[in-house]
Amino acid sequence: MTSLFDAFDLAGLKLANRIVMAPLTRNRSPRAVPLPMTARYYAQRASAGLIVTEGTAITRQGQGYADVPGLYTAEALAGWRTVTDAVHAQGGRIVVQLWHVGRVSHVSLQADGQAPVAPSAVQANGKTYVIGADGRGGFVPTSMPRALDAAELPGIVQDYRRAARAALDAGFDGVEIHAANGYLLDQFLRRGANRRSDAYGGAIDHRARLLLEVVDAVTTETGPGRTGIRLSPVTPSNDLSDPEPQPLFEYVARGLARHDMSYIHVIEGATGGDRDYRQGLQAFDYDALRAAYRDAGGRGAWMVNNGYDLDLAQQALASGRADLVAFGRPYISNPDLVRRLREGLPLADADRATFYGGGAEGYVDYPNVEGSIQPA
Ligand code: 8OZ
């Protein structure tokens, strides 16, 4: 029977096991540049079959929180090169998550204090994290966005494409397109943020158009089997919703099947919360989503995420519901999570106070099960 600890062939990339480190925002990259300790942080977690980095802004416009990393300056890319080298030196595999936040941003993070961009001028009821002139961080409401003009969208597609090229040049094994959790591509998909009446709004095929254009551009740039995508069909994160997610996401799945994806990464339920969370009248049918992808000829790996423990993960693999399982929060405090799960060892709890922002504390100082920090 398939186990989490079996190797996996991800479109030619050999993974040592089927455990994935999920993307985790940590806000420790001033001026969008990963620090030397970021290389240490990821290298400590390199026994994961695959690491997906924290969300990484493709452009300054795509940034929505203080101190998240980017892919749009030479300095940031040089920082990422030290990360990919450090992970590869430990025998790990790492892809970068390509992120554009859309409306989930604040004027103080945008060039010249401009409004963030979105499908429509609909403000998210939510907060983002900024650092004031006095150097202190705090939460502020997201700013009112401006609606993107259709003529700007090819430029955004190009931004994804350029970021994907830069990522491969910085040594990443591939990229993951962040289309989840209420950020730009999800804002186009779901009706709660998309009030457009042009070719990018309204009917399902219109709302999915930008996402599929980005997928086309990025897969063309990376070549086959090097692009994954993350979806969250029902999450309420960042004030997003849709009354009918099932046909929308099945349409997306069929569209993805026409591209040579490395994997489809699905957050089941509310991100970081209730796995049974629903939007719309019916519970979302994730098996039907997978079937829509496979029936349309999709051959990428199926990656699942959200609140998995060892038993639930093994069941998902054994039943064929998944090929890979992504673990998020446990990876903050358990750099050797693979070993702990394999040997049935207890997991360490993470300190919430150091999830977002700060320094080495709560970042690179979680020991492995023997009490040492490896690599130092
Ligand atoms: C937590 C805090 C800030 C951003 C996501 C990138 O939800 C995020 C994120 C998570 O996908």
Side-chain angles (χ1 to χ4, degrees):
M1 201 148 59
T2 307
S3 155
L4 268 185
F5 310 107
D6 294 344
F8 188 74
D9 184 335
L10 185 68
L13 190 69
K14 304 277 186 283
L15 310 186
N17 55 66
R18 290 154 183 260
I19 295 172
V20 176
M21 177 180 170
L24 292 163
T25 291
R26 305 304 308 271
N27 305 77
R28 283 167 167 88
S29 298
R31 292 176 304 104
V33 179
L35 297 172
M37 70 175 176
T38 300
R40 204 181 332 143
Y41 165 74
Y42 284 113
Q44 288 169 352
R45 288 154 180 78
S47 62
L50 180 69
I51 293 170
V52 185
T53 70
E54 61 209 277
T56 301
I58 59 169
T59 52
R60 175 146 178 216
Q61 183 192 68
Q63 184 182 334
Y65 304 81
D67 292 354
V68 300
L71 286 164
Y72 54 91
T73 65
E75 209 187 341
L77 293 166
W80 279 123
R81 169 54 80 174
T82 68
V83 174
T84 59
D85 283 348
V87 169
H88 290 148
Q90 298 300 316
R93 308 289 193 193
I94 183 166
V95 300
V96 66
Q97 194 190 47
L98 304 182
W99 194 21
H100 189 310
V101 296
R103 67 178 183 166
V104 186
S105 187
H106 187 261
V107 288
S108 69
L109 296 164
Q110 297 288 317
D112 306 319
Q114 294 174 62
V117 298
S120 305
V122 180
Q123 197 169 1
N125 179 14
K127 292 206 157 70
T128 182
Y129 177 81
V130 299
I131 296 176
D134 59 358
R136 293 166 62 128
F139 288 90
V140 293
T142 56
S143 300
M144 181 70 185
R146 73 172 175 86
L148 282 160
D149 194 280
E152 294 176 89
L153 299 178
I156 292 202
V157 173
Q158 271 306 109
D159 290 340
Y160 277 94
R161 183 183 181 125
R162 189 205 52 78
R165 168 50 40 203
L168 296 187
D169 291 346
F172 284 105
D173 296 303
V175 301
E176 175 177 290
I177 297 169
H178 192 347
N181 295 346
Y183 298 108
L184 182 71
L185 298 173
D186 204 17
Q187 288 158 30
F188 270 85
L189 285 179
R190 292 200 271 163
R191 288 216 285 248
N194 187 339
R195 308 277 161 86
R196 300 176 75 95
S197 54
D198 64 0
Y200 292 87
I204 283 175
D205 56 326
H206 284 200
R207 282 181 279 135
R209 189 184 309 276
L210 181 64
L211 169 69
L212 294 174
E213 286 178 355
V214 167
V215 168
D216 190 42
V218 171
T219 53
T220 301
E221 192 64 44
T222 65
R226 300 255 257 160
T227 300
I229 191 165
R230 194 173 206 214
L231 304 169
S232 56
V234 301
T235 197
S237 296
N238 292 307
D239 190 28
L240 203 49
S241 62
D242 192 278
E244 271 188 302
Q246 194 78 43
L248 168 63
F249 282 89
E250 289 185 17
Y251 177 87
V252 168
R254 290 192 296 274
L256 294 174
R258 291 196 295 275
H259 296 279
D260 216 331
M261 309 298 295
S262 57
Y263 64 80
I264 314 296
H265 183 177
V266 181
I267 300 170
E268 298 163 340
T271 308
D274 182 6
R275 290 182 44 77
D276 297 320
Y277 186 85
R278 343 181 138 178
Q279 273 185 2
L281 296 174
Q282 280 119 27
F284 194 87
D285 185 343
Y286 295 95
D287 292 331
L289 182 68
R290 196 177 70 257
Y293 178 68
R294 294 278 179 243
D295 291 349
R299 298 205 319 265
W302 199 261
M303 184 188 297
V304 295
N305 171 245
N306 202 23
Y308 277 83
D309 61 14
L310 177 63
D311 285 350
L312 200 57
Q314 292 289 33
Q315 276 170 36
L317 295 186
S319 65
R321 279 206 307 111
D323 303 305
L324 300 166
V325 181
F327 293 80
R329 255 172 296 172
Y331 255 115
I332 291 181
S333 48
N334 296 277
D336 55 345
L337 183 67
V338 171
R339 176 173 173 197
R340 292 189 199 219
L341 292 178
R342 192 193 305 118
E343 298 180 14
L345 301 168
L347 301 190
D349 289 330
D351 173 16
R352 253 180 192 285
T354 51
F355 279 7
Y356 308 114
E361 191 196 341
Y363 189 51
V364 290
D365 59 355
Y366 286 108
N368 65 20
V369 75
E370 281 138 359
S372 66
I373 297 175
Q374 291 299 332

